[in-house]
Each structure stands twice: as structure tokens, then as C-alpha cells.
């Protein structure tokens, strides 16, 4: 009986440990620093060595960095603030545009006696990090952005209008009234829709963050992050005129932004390394903590940018219901680069030498101008009717309608064009990388012209 009780107790303790709320290392110091922009920013820091600043996202606070902070503190000084209006920072009535918040972060860095740093960010933190790097480029040694758009940059309009991110446009007094007392329900929708693993974030983590946002003024301040997007987009259009030159690592979850994160950052930076966390949705440090920490550590230390995935047999068997397209369009390598197209990699890597297979979901009423790829590709139409033609100019008369089950080729360097009708189309493409996309008319390249 005693033995059985002990066994049950051990399992109960193990379960409780696995459901512990996130927390930065206990050895970290804490302080509140006043920003000249009218906010009091709560910050924790610890470790020794070169300085790394970690900027968290929405539906979280600075404790979300716990796995990375615990690793980096061994040989780096880790600075982890709560953004204005979130966690234990103050919740002023204004100042939620990311340019102002960048000034908050600068006040934190200098207030702790530091100057140049590496900056690592996720979600809303990306937007603050970009404004910081653009405002103080000589103070940022390296920049990491993870799985979120930048207002006004690249395919921003397509992302903002995607129904999956309706919360971008959900704010104001009535939204506050609707969510009051239901913060966990509201945040669950965000956590659930953008994860590849329904168990992540776990219950303890969700309860912890929900309680944080349920504090007086918490949801008002949280919504204000989105209200500021119009101003952020205007500010970023100015910032965009001068490209970032520091090394940038753009990380997307395979089931979320994927390669789109690098597409976005190449609009504003000249030295961008692309990385995709396999099997992860948006919540990278909750869903794939070990892989993500190793990835970031490698970039920060100047080593291999991306850890190699664990070896496997190469065996894959997927039914149509198991294809996990990202929540937002991510026109990655091998696609036409058109915003709104969703890409998943089924095998290999189109950026590297070797065989790869990708699947594209192309929205209804999408027209793709004449372009070519450097590699030899074959394709099958999975669903919808795909209209494709060959030539250097888009011509309706040259299109052939291909229903599901149809096969076509994309010879290397051969220009082709396509469009969809009243329904989205899914096509599966196999090639031998590295792949690329070159538009016949550069002015029609959406990667350059999307505003």
C-alpha cells in the first residue's frame, strides 16, 4: 500500500512539474526603469558576458523566454523586459506604437549600463525589435525575429486581411467589455489557432498568462498594441528606406509563418538568414524549445544557423487531412512569391541541393505573372482547377484548364504563368533544388512590389 502511494505521489509530482508556469531563472535581478516616453518598464537580467535583449510577444510576457534565458545566461548577460502595458510594466494610456516602445527598450539597455546588444524577438516583440534596430542600427550587433509580420512591410496587407488574424482588428472599449472576465477564452483562441500541438502552451502556462492580462488595464493595453498598427506601418515605411545591415536571423514555425518570415525581413535587411522550425506552429519556445534554443544559440554565437533535424528513415505517409498549411500565406522558395499563397514542404528543402516536394495552396482569383524557376520541376493538381500557360507574357488564350489529377511540367528557365478561378487550388510540385523564382518583368515581382 505504501509503495503504491509513493508511486502515485511521484507521478503526481512529475505531472505538476511538467505543468509548471514559465519562469525566468530565480537568480535574475529585477528593476523597474522609467522611460522618458512615459512608461515604467519592469526588467529582469542575469548571467555574464555579451548582452542579449529578449523581447516577448502578445498573449505572453517576459517569462516566455525561460528556456532560452536559462541557456544563454551561462555565457551571456540576458536582459528581459516586459513590454509597455504587459506583465509588470506600467500601462499608460498611449505610446503603444513600436517606435515609442523602441525608445522604452533603449532606456532599459542604457539604464542597466549597457550599450550594444544582440536583440532576439517573437511576435509583437518583432515589431518593437525592428523599430529598435532601425532607430539604433549601430547598437544592434545581431537581430533575431520569430514568426510574426512587420506592419507595412512586405505582404502586410494580405496578412492583415486574412480572417485568421481577425484579432489584429479587434480592439477598443467594446472589445474590452466583451473580453472582461473572459480573458482565458479570448486568449485560448489565439493559442489554439496558432499552435501545431493542441497541448501547447499547457494549462499552467495559459492560466498564468491569462491572469496577467486580466489585471486592471491589462486587456486595454494589450489591445493598444494592435490599435497602433496603422502608425507602425507609417513609421516602418520611413524606416524601410534604409536597409538594416546587421546579420538577421528570420525564424518561422513550419506550421505558421515558415519561410515567409525571411521573405518579410529581406524587404528591410541586406543580410538575412532563413530558418524554419520543423513541426512547430507560432509558439516556438513552447512547442519546440530544445530545437529553437539550439537554433538561436547557434546564430548568436556565430556557429551553424540551423541545427540539423533528427535523422529519420525518410518514410512519410500523409492523408489529405494531415497536410498542415500555415495560418497565413507564406510564399516560400519554389512558389511564385505571391502574398496569400500558403506553402508547406513535404520533403527535402527547396533552398538546398537535392530532391524536394512542396505543396501550394493558391487563393481563388489569384493571377501569377510570367516567371521561371532554375530547377526542373513536375507538378500535379490536387484540388481545384488550375489554369496554366507557357510564355513570357500572361495571355488568357494560352491558358489550359487543369482539373484535379492533372499533371504538368515546369522546365528549367521556361517562363510560365497561371491563375485561379472561383475556388482555391492546391498543387504539389517536385523539383531538384536549389530552386529560385525569376519574373520576366521585374516590376511584376510581388516580392518587390507588395506594399
Amino acid at each position: 500500500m505504501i509503495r503504491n502511494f509513493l508511486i502515485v505521489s511521484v507521478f503526481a509530482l512529475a505531472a505538476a512539474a511538467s505543468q509548471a508556469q514559465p519562469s525566468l531563472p530565480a537568480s535574475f535581478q529585477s528593476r523597474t526603469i522609467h522611460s522618458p516616453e512615459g512608461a515604467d518598464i519592469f526588467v529582469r537580467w542575469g548571467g555574464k558576458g555579451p548582452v542579449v535583449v529578449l523581447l516577448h510577444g502578445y498573449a505572453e510576457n517576459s517569462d516566455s523566454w525561460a528556456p532560452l534565458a536559462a541557456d544563454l545566461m551561462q555565457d551571456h548577460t540576458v536582459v528581459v523586459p516586459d513590454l509597455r502595458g504587459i506583465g509588470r510594466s506600467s500601462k499608460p494610456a498611449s505610446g503603444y506604437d513600436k517606435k515609442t516602445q523602441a525608445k522604452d527598450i533603449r532606456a532599459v539597455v542604457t539604464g542597466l549600463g549597457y550599450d550594444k546588444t544582440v536583440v532576439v524577438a517573437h511576435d509583437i516583440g518583432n515589431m518593437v525589435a525592428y523599430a529598435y534596430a532601425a532607430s539604433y542600427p549601430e547598437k544592434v550587433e545581431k537581430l533575431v525575429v520569430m514568426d510574426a509580420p512587420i506592419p507595412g512591410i512586405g505582404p502586410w496587407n494580405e496578412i492583415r486581411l486574412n480572417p485568421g488574424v481577425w484579432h489584429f482588428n479587434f480592439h477598443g472599449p467594446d472589445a474590452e467589455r466583451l473580453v472582461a472576465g473572459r480573458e482565458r477564452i479570448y486568449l485560448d483562441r489565439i493559442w489554439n489557432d496558432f499552435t501545431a500541438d493542441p497541448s501547447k502552451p499547457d494549462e499552467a502556462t495559459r492560466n498564468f498568462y491569462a491572469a496577467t492580462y486580466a489585471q486592471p488595464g491589462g486587456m486595454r493595453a494589450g489591445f493598444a498594441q494592435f490599435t497602433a498598427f496603422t502608425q507602425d506601418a507609417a513609421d516602418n515605411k520611413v524606416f524601410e528606406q534604409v536597409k538594416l545591415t546587421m546579420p538577421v536571423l528570420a525564424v518561422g514555425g513550419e506550421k505558421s509563418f515558415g519561410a515567409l518570415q525571411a521573405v518579410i525581413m529581406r524587404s528591410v535587411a541586406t543580410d538575412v538568414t532563413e530558418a524554419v522550425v520543423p513541426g512547430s506552429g507560432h509558439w516556438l519556445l513552447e512547442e519546440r524549445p530544445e530545437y529553437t534554443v539550439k537554433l538561436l544559440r547557434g546564430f548568436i554565437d556565430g556557429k551553424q544557423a540551423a541545427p540539423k533535424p533528427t535523422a529519420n528513415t525518410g518514410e512519410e505517409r500523409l492523408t489529405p487531412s494531415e497536410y498542415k498549411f500555415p495560418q497565413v500565406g507564406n510564399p516560400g522558395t519554389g512558389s511564385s512569391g505571391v502574398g496569400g499563397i500558403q506553402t508547406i514542404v513535404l520533403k527535402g528543402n527547396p533552398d538546398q541541393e537535392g530532391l524536394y516536394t512542396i505543396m501550394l495552396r493558391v487563393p481563388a482569383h489569384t493571377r501569377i505573372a510570367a516567371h521561371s524557376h532554375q530547377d526542373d520541376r513536375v507538378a500535379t493538381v490536387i484540388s481545384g482547377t488550375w489554369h496554366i500557360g507557357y510564355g513570357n507574357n500572361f495571355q488568357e488564350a494560352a491558358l489550359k484548364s487543369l482539373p484535379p489529377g492533372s499533371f504538368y511540367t515546369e522546365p528549367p528557365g521556361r517562363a510560365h504563368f497561371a491563375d485561379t478561378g472561383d475556388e482555391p487550388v492546391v498543387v504539389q510540385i517536385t523539383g531538384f533544388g536549389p530552386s529560385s523564382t525569376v519574373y520576366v518583368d521585374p516590376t511584376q515581382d510581388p516580392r518587390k512590389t507588395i506594399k
Side-chain angles (χ1 to χ4, degrees):
M1 175 69 73
I2 293 175
R3 179 176 180 275
N4 288 342
F5 173 77
L6 290 174
I7 291 173
V8 170
S9 298
V10 168
F11 276 107
L13 288 171
S18 67
Q19 290 279 299
Q21 72 181 44
S23 179
L24 292 177
S27 61
F28 274 29
Q29 302 177 69
S30 64
R31 179 179 165 189
T32 297
I33 293 178
H34 180 71
S35 167
E37 300 301 317
D40 295 317
I41 306 299
F42 178 76
V43 59
R44 285 170 285 179
W45 74 100
K48 58 183 178 179
V51 183
V52 181
V53 177
L54 309 180
L55 302 180
H56 67 84
Y58 185 69
E60 297 181 311
N61 64 19
S62 55
D63 286 295
S64 64
W65 292 111
L68 181 61
D71 183 88
L72 286 177
M73 68 177 292
Q74 302 171 63
D75 49 15
H76 290 79
T77 299
V78 187
V79 176
V80 198
D82 280 338
L83 295 179
R84 171 185 295 241
I86 297 176
R88 283 182 268 184
S89 289
S90 67
K91 301 169 177 58
S94 60
Y96 293 91
D97 63 279
K98 310 313 176 286
K99 184 177 178 180
T100 295
Q101 293 192 69
K103 296 176 182 178
D104 292 343
I105 302 306
R106 188 61 190 162
V108 167
V109 171
T110 58
L112 293 177
Y114 305 126
D115 187 28
K116 294 183 178 181
T117 75
V118 172
V119 178
V120 180
H122 175 239
D123 190 78
I124 290 287
N126 283 8
M127 306 175 189
V128 179
Y130 173 60
Y132 184 87
S135 298
Y136 312 102
E138 72 285 357
K139 305 301 182 184
V140 179
E141 296 172 321
K142 294 182 179 180
L143 173 66
V144 179
V145 290
M146 301 199 299
D147 213 79
I150 306 294
I153 301 302
W156 168 249
N157 288 332
E158 287 79 2
I159 293 170
R160 182 175 57 85
L161 296 174
N162 188 301
V165 293
W166 59 262
H167 61 284
F168 282 11
N169 299 300
F170 182 75
H171 44 74
D174 290 335
E176 293 172 37
R177 290 170 57 209
L178 285 168
V179 173
R182 306 178 183 89
E183 292 84 4
R184 172 63 195 268
I185 297 172
Y186 164 78
L187 292 170
D188 268 339
R189 177 263 157 188
I190 295 174
W191 291 320
N192 292 340
D193 279 7
F194 302 120
T195 186
D197 181 350
S199 69
K200 302 294 176 63
D202 62 29
E203 279 296 302
T205 300
R206 292 177 184 226
N207 286 333
F208 171 64
Y209 290 137
T212 297
Y213 282 81
Q215 294 174 356
M219 288 309 306
R220 171 190 57 77
F223 288 146
Q225 299 285 352
F226 302 116
T227 306
F229 280 177
T230 299
Q231 182 61 52
D232 295 335
D235 291 337
N236 291 340
K237 286 300 181 184
V238 177
F239 286 144
E240 186 184 19
Q241 296 175 22
V242 179
K243 300 292 192 261
L244 302 180
T245 58
M246 75 285 294
V248 176
L249 176 64
V251 184
E254 179 189 5
K255 309 300 183 181
S256 185
F257 269 70
L260 179 60
Q261 193 66 60
V263 173
I264 293 168
M265 293 311 297
R266 288 184 182 118
S267 297
V268 297
T270 60
D271 183 4
V272 178
T273 298
E274 175 184 319
V276 176
V277 177
S280 182
H282 178 67
W283 312 103
L284 304 169
L285 282 171
E286 285 84 4
E287 297 179 59
R288 294 294 309 276
E290 292 181 3
Y291 186 98
T292 304
V293 168
K294 186 176 181 181
L295 168 67
L296 302 186
R297 162 70 79 163
F299 179 76
I300 291 168
D301 292 346
K303 300 174 184 176
Q304 182 179 345
K308 295 180 179 179
T310 302
N312 58 52
T313 63
E315 297 172 351
E316 289 282 1
R317 295 181 295 179
L318 298 175
T319 65
S321 64
E322 293 174 310
Y323 297 138
K324 300 298 183 183
F325 284 98
Q327 288 290 327
V328 297
N330 63 331
T333 302
S335 78
S336 60
V338 173
I341 292 179
Q342 297 170 297
T343 309
I344 55 174
V345 178
L346 300 179
K347 180 179 176 62
N349 184 339
D351 286 312
Q352 299 176 3
E353 184 175 349
L355 187 70
Y356 69 88
T357 298
I358 58 177
M359 184 174 286
L360 310 181
R361 177 184 286 165
V362 185
H365 306 295
T366 297
R367 173 170 289 192
I368 302 172
H371 64 283
S372 64
H373 310 282
Q374 70 183 42
D375 55 320
D376 197 4
R377 294 147 52 108
V378 296
T380 301
V381 180
I382 305 299
S383 65
T385 299
W386 185 230
H387 310 283
I388 186 167
Y390 299 102
N392 291 334
N393 296 289
F394 189 99
Q395 299 178 56
E396 292 277 359
L399 293 171
K400 181 173 182 177
S401 297
L402 301 180
S406 299
F407 169 85
Y408 66 98
T409 64
E410 296 180 357
R414 180 70 167 110
H416 52 280
F417 47 87
D419 73 7
T420 58
D422 295 331
E423 59 183 346
V425 172
V426 175
V427 295
Q428 183 171 300
I429 301 172
T430 295
F432 196 90
S435 188
S436 64
T437 300
V438 177
Y439 274 80
V440 175
D441 181 353
T443 65
Q444 294 182 313
D445 187 340
R447 297 166 299 181
K448 300 178 180 179
T449 60
I450 289 176
K451 299 297 182 183

